[in-house]
Amino acid sequence: MLIYCAHRFGNSYKNRKRAERLIEHLQRNDLKNCYISPIHAFGHLYSKISYDAGMELCFDLMMVCDKLLVLSEESEGVKREVEMARKLGMEVEYY
């Protein structure tokens, strides 16, 4: 199963590292599933493209995933990801 991992970012190094540690822990303890990090896929573009364009990339990635796992408190981006997951009929789980 592909699991999309939503975590607040805001171009913050601290948020990136926290997401990385959580996803690493999850992945190491669950080799049957694949944990996908949009922060690590697209974070380098944060200040290079518009916020909405970045969210569209995240939604494209989400569409190939089976489940959304929320790993942090809800930010504006995480709220949008949860809304999109629900529109897609994806399971949403809070860690």
Side-chain angles (χ1 to χ4, degrees):
M1 177 185 304
L2 293 174
I3 302 172
Y4 181 101
C5 297
H7 190 287
R8 86 178 298 124
F9 180 45
N11 207 22
S12 162
Y13 177 80
K14 180 180 170 183
N15 287 337
R16 179 191 304 264
K17 292 309 283 183
R18 183 170 184 272
E20 191 172 306
R21 284 190 303 273
L22 287 168
I23 294 167
E24 179 181 340
H25 170 78
L26 290 164
Q27 190 65 75
R28 291 179 67 154
N29 290 289
D30 180 13
L31 297 176
K32 292 180 183 175
N33 294 302
C34 181
Y35 293 83
I36 306 295
S37 171
I39 291 173
H40 294 84
F42 307 119
H44 63 285
L45 298 172
Y46 192 86
S47 60
K48 295 176 177 74
I49 62 175
S50 73
Y51 187 80
D52 288 336
M55 289 304 304
E56 286 300 320
L57 291 172
C58 292
F59 297 154
D60 287 344
L61 180 61
M62 184 187 297
M63 285 186 216
V64 300
C65 293
D66 303 297
K67 175 178 167 179
L68 174 89
L69 180 60
V70 178
L71 298 177
S72 72
E73 64 279 355
E74 286 193 347
S75 61
E76 180 60 31
V78 172
K79 286 178 190 175
R80 288 187 188 191
E81 289 166 323
V82 169
E83 287 173 12
M84 178 57 77
R86 290 198 169 121
K87 284 181 188 175
L88 295 171
M90 290 176 67
E91 178 184 353
V92 176
E93 182 181 328
Y94 291 82
Y95 182 72

